[in-house]
Amino acid sequence: MDYVIEAHDIKKKYKRFTLDIPELKIPRGFATALIGENGAGKTTLLNILAGILLQYHGKIRYFDQYTDKDREEIPDVKELIGYTASGSYFVAQWKLKEVEDISEALFQGFHRERFEQWCRDLAVGAGGWDPGQKVASLSDGNRMKLMIAGVLARDTKLLLMDEPASPLDPVMRDRLCEIIREYLAEGDGQRSVFFSTHNVADMENVTDYAIIMEQGRIVEQGFVEDLKEKYVLVKGDAADLGAVQDKLFTCSSNQYGFEGICLADKLDRLAGCNVSMERPGLTQISVAVMKHFSRVTKG
Amino acid sequence: MKRKLKCYLAYTTLTYRILGVVLIPCAFWLLCVAVLWSKYGGIMGAVQPDSAGNYTFYIWLCMYMVFYEIYTDYWVLGGCFSDAGKGLRYFRTSCRGEEVIRNIAAVDLLRRFLYCMIFSGIIFLFTGWEAVIVAGLVMYCVIVGVLNGSRHYDGLQRSSGIAILSQVVLALINTLNIILLDLAEGRKAVMLTGLILLYGVLAFCLSRLMVRRIVIRIRGGKD
C-alpha cells in the first residue's frame, strides 16, 4: 500500500486541547474522509498537514519523498498540495481578479484560464466570471467554491480540504463529489484527496477511506468497505432491548424498537436474541464510533 | 523590482491604489501648495529658510500623514500582526508566500518613504536638502513605528488610539530636534548630518522590523 502522507507522533498542545496522533497514514490514489465531532481536532490536523500551523511535534512524510521540513523549503512540495480552509482565506476586499493575480504570484502551476473556467462552471458569485466581483460580496458557499476553483486551477497531487461540503447546497455537494471523483480518476492513482466533513451521508459515495477522530485522537480508521465488514447494524423490537443492550457497541431506541451497531467479531454474543442484522452505512458507523467516544452527554 | 511591484499590485486592490496611493496624496499635495501659496503669496518665494511657519505646517502635516497612513493601511495590511492574520493564511499555503509578502511589505515601505520625502520636500524646499531629509525621515519613522503597533489590531478604534498617542512622540522628537539644532549654533550642518544618520539608522531598523514581523507571521505559523 502506497501512502501520500505518513505521519508519526503528531502532537499539538493547546490550553484545553491536545492533538495526539501516534500514526497517520493516508492512502495514495483515494479519497479519505476525516470525520469527528466539533473540537475533535480535524482542522488542527489539516492545518498541520497543509503547513498552515507550523508549531507542532512529530514527523510527516509527503508523497513518500519529502519531509515536513522539505515542505517549507522545497517549493515543489506545496505546489503539489492544494488546501481549502473551512472559512475563506482570501482577503475580503479582494476582487476575483486580485485573487487570480495573487494566486499566480504564489503558485507556479496556477493556470488563469483554468481558474476562470472553474469559476464559470461552479457558478461562483453571479454565475459567470466577473473579475470585478469582491470576495466580501460572496456567500459562504460561493467563497468555498472560489477556494475549490483556486486549487483545481493548479497542478496538484493532493487536496487537503477542511469541511468543503459544509457551506455548500445539496446540488453543489453532489457536484463536489463528482469533482473529487474526476480529480482522482485523472490522476491515474497518483492523486489523493483528504477532506474533513460533518456531512458524512452526502460525502459517503466519494469516500474510499475514513478516519474518525475524537478528542484529539484517531479512534477508528480503514477502508469504508472494511469498516462495513467490521461493524453490523442490529435492529429489534423494544421488548428485546434489555437482552441485547449491553452487547452492542452503541444503541439508540424509542418506544417501538432499537437500532444499534455491533462489532462483527462479537456477533456470537447476540445468538438467540430476536434481532435482524444489516450492513451499516458509513454514516451509521461513524455516528456509532463518535457516540462511543463522545464527551457529549448521552440522552 | 519588477517582481516586487507585481506582487504589490496583485495584493492591493485597485480602489486602494486609485484612492489611497494616488488621489488622497495628490489632493493633499495640492492642498499643501494652496495653503503655502495663500499664506506666503506663492510657493516659490514663500517658503523661507528657517521659517517658523514651515515647522508648524510640517508638524500639522505629520499628524495628518500618521492618520492617513493608518487608515489606508487598514485597507491593505491592517491587523496582519493580529491572530486573525488577515489574508496571511493563504500565503502560508505556498512556498513563495514568504517572498511575496516580503515584496509587498518592501514596496509598501518604499512608497511611504517616497511620500514622506515628497511632503517634507514641499515644505522645506528652500531650507536645504539636509532639512528635507531629516524631516522626511522623522515623519517616516513615526509612521512606521505607529504601523508596527496598529497592525496588531484588526479594527480602527485601537489603531486610532495609537495614532493619537503617537502625536506625543512626534512632538517630543521634533522638540528634541529643535533643541539640538539650537545647541549646535554655527555647526548646524554637522548636527543635521548627525540627525540624518541617527534617523536614517532608525528608519532602516524600523523598516527591517516591519518586514521581519510580517515574514515571521508567515514563517512562524502562529495561529
Side-chain angles (χ1 to χ4, degrees):
Chain A
M1 169 67 72
D2 255 2
Y3 297 102
V4 66
I5 291 180
E6 284 179 77
H8 295 279
D9 300 318
I10 298 292
K11 275 191 183 137
K12 171 72 187 168
K13 279 189 181 177
Y14 288 105
K15 208 173 176 183
R16 291 183 181 85
F17 170 78
T18 304
L19 181 80
D20 185 2
I21 297 174
E23 188 179 70
L24 172 75
K25 288 183 174 179
I26 300 167
R28 192 197 298 256
F30 295 99
T32 302
L34 182 62
I35 302 160
E37 281 184 313
N38 295 321
K42 303 185 295 295
T43 298
T44 306
L45 178 60
L46 276 163
N47 282 347
I48 287 172
L49 296 178
I52 305 295
L53 199 57
L54 298 174
Q55 289 150 343
Y56 60 87
H57 296 284
K59 285 178 181 167
I60 308 172
R61 197 163 173 78
Y62 297 86
F63 309 108
D64 205 19
Q65 197 175 351
Y66 305 107
T67 63
D68 43 352
K69 200 178 169 206
D70 295 336
R71 181 195 62 202
E72 299 307 314
E73 288 170 3
I74 302 173
D76 287 359
V77 188
K78 279 190 175 175
E79 284 284 337
L80 294 173
I81 301 171
Y83 168 76
T84 62
S86 52
S88 173
Y89 46 42
F90 298 124
V91 176
Q93 293 98 317
W94 283 348
K95 291 175 180 164
L96 297 197
K97 165 82 169 56
E98 283 143 2
V99 169
E100 197 177 30
D101 289 343
I102 206 77
S103 299
E104 196 175 40
L106 287 173
F107 301 102
Q108 204 169 13
F110 181 84
H111 304 280
R112 294 181 86 99
E113 62 292 341
R114 213 194 284 174
F115 176 70
E116 289 168 20
Q117 191 56 50
W118 273 114
C119 285
R120 276 188 210 103
D121 289 354
L122 300 177
V124 174
W129 164 248
D130 177 8
Q133 184 151 26
K134 271 190 172 182
V135 172
S137 72
L138 298 175
S139 64
D140 287 350
N142 277 312
R143 287 182 198 193
M144 179 52 74
K145 287 197 256 180
L146 185 64
M147 285 192 285
I148 292 170
V151 291
L152 292 174
R154 291 166 46 205
D155 302 318
T156 56
K157 281 193 176 175
L158 168 66
L159 295 185
L160 298 173
M161 307 172 101
D162 193 359
E163 310 245 7
S166 295
L168 301 177
D169 59 63
V171 177
M172 190 52 216
R173 280 182 196 175
D174 187 59
R175 181 77 184 100
L176 176 68
C177 290
E178 270 178 30
I179 289 170
I180 293 175
R181 273 196 298 269
E182 285 164 14
Y183 176 82
L184 293 173
E186 285 165 14
D188 200 22
Q190 294 304 306
R191 286 180 173 176
S192 317
V193 180
F194 185 41
F195 61 92
S196 64
T197 188
H198 287 302
N199 307 88
V200 187
D202 288 344
M203 302 300 284
E204 186 168 346
N205 65 357
V206 79
T207 306
D208 302 306
Y209 193 88
I211 297 173
I212 304 172
M213 283 186 76
E214 273 306 312
Q215 299 170 48
R217 296 175 297 131
I218 292 175
V219 291
E220 184 59 283
Q221 61 182 318
F223 280 98
V224 175
E225 290 308 307
D226 294 342
L227 291 175
K228 285 178 180 177
E229 296 292 322
K230 186 177 174 180
Y231 295 94
V232 177
L233 180 66
V234 179
K235 289 179 179 176
D237 292 334
D240 301 315
L241 178 64
V244 296
Q245 196 167 19
D246 57 338
K247 294 166 182 141
L248 296 175
F249 190 66
T250 56
C251 180
S252 59
S253 61
N254 58 29
Q255 55 183 320
Y256 306 110
F258 68 89
E259 189 178 293
I261 291 281
C262 181
L263 285 162
D265 59 2
K266 287 178 181 166
L267 272 181
D268 53 334
R269 289 182 181 183
L270 298 175
C273 297
N274 184 21
V275 292
S276 64
M277 292 173 202
E278 287 174 27
R279 193 174 150 90
L282 180 62
T283 312
Q284 288 153 323
I285 295 170
S286 27
V287 170
V289 173
M290 286 193 283
K291 263 173 93 174
H292 187 75
F293 291 97
S294 177
R295 280 175 300 186
V296 175
T297 314
K298 288 162 181 83
Chain B
M1 191 60 202
K2 198 179 166 188
R3 178 155 172 77
K4 283 188 169 66
L5 204 60
K6 202 178 163 191
C7 292
Y8 182 73
L9 293 176
Y11 184 75
T12 52
T13 64
L14 184 67
T15 320
Y16 167 77
R17 294 198 296 269
I18 292 174
L19 211 62
V21 179
V22 181
L23 284 183
I24 298 175
C26 279
F28 203 71
W29 286 330
L30 287 174
L31 187 69
C32 277
V33 172
V35 169
L36 292 168
W37 200 289
S38 64
K39 193 168 168 66
Y40 301 108
I43 186 140
M44 295 306 286
V47 187
Q48 301 300 318
D50 300 324
S51 158
N54 293 0
Y55 214 76
T56 313
F57 193 67
Y58 165 75
I59 290 171
W60 178 74
L61 186 69
C62 277
M63 288 165 67
Y64 155 79
M65 284 293 282
V66 168
F67 281 101
Y68 154 72
E69 290 291 359
I70 278 193
Y71 291 142
T72 50
D73 187 68
Y74 179 71
W75 230 333
V76 190
L77 287 161
C80 67
F81 296 158
S82 69
D83 283 344
K86 206 173 183 176
L88 296 189
R89 216 156 34 130
Y90 188 44
F91 288 82
R92 286 186 205 153
T93 65
S94 163
C95 240
R96 290 181 178 181
E98 189 180 313
E99 181 207 339
V100 170
I101 201 76
R102 190 187 284 124
N103 289 344
I104 293 165
V107 173
D108 187 51
L109 287 171
L110 182 66
R111 199 249 329 142
R112 285 178 215 286
F113 182 77
L114 287 175
Y115 281 16
C116 289
M117 285 302 162
I118 291 171
F119 275 116
S120 56
I122 291 174
I123 302 169
F124 294 104
L125 195 63
F126 299 99
T127 311
W129 62 270
E130 298 99 330
V132 172
I133 294 173
V134 172
L137 285 173
V138 169
M139 195 188 280
Y140 177 79
C141 287
V142 172
I143 287 167
V144 176
V146 166
L147 289 176
N148 260 307
S150 74
R151 282 182 178 175
H152 281 283
Y153 306 107
D154 194 12
L156 279 174
Q157 284 166 317
R158 286 180 183 177
S159 301
S160 300
I162 293 172
I164 292 164
L165 285 176
S166 74
Q167 306 304 322
V168 180
V169 180
L170 187 69
L172 286 173
I173 292 173
N174 283 315
T175 311
L176 180 74
N177 289 348
I178 293 167
I179 293 169
L180 287 172
L181 286 169
D182 279 349
L183 286 173
E185 193 72 33
R187 284 181 299 164
K188 241 179 188 173
V190 180
M191 182 53 78
L192 278 168
T193 313
L195 288 176
I196 288 172
L197 280 173
L198 174 72
Y199 293 120
V201 170
L202 188 63
F204 178 77
C205 293
L206 283 169
S207 306
R208 281 285 301 237
L209 180 72
M210 191 79 141
V211 176
R212 199 177 146 70
R213 290 183 75 182
I214 201 161
V215 167
I216 284 172
R217 289 293 304 164
I218 299 276
R219 202 183 288 164
K222 186 175 173 289
D223 235 334

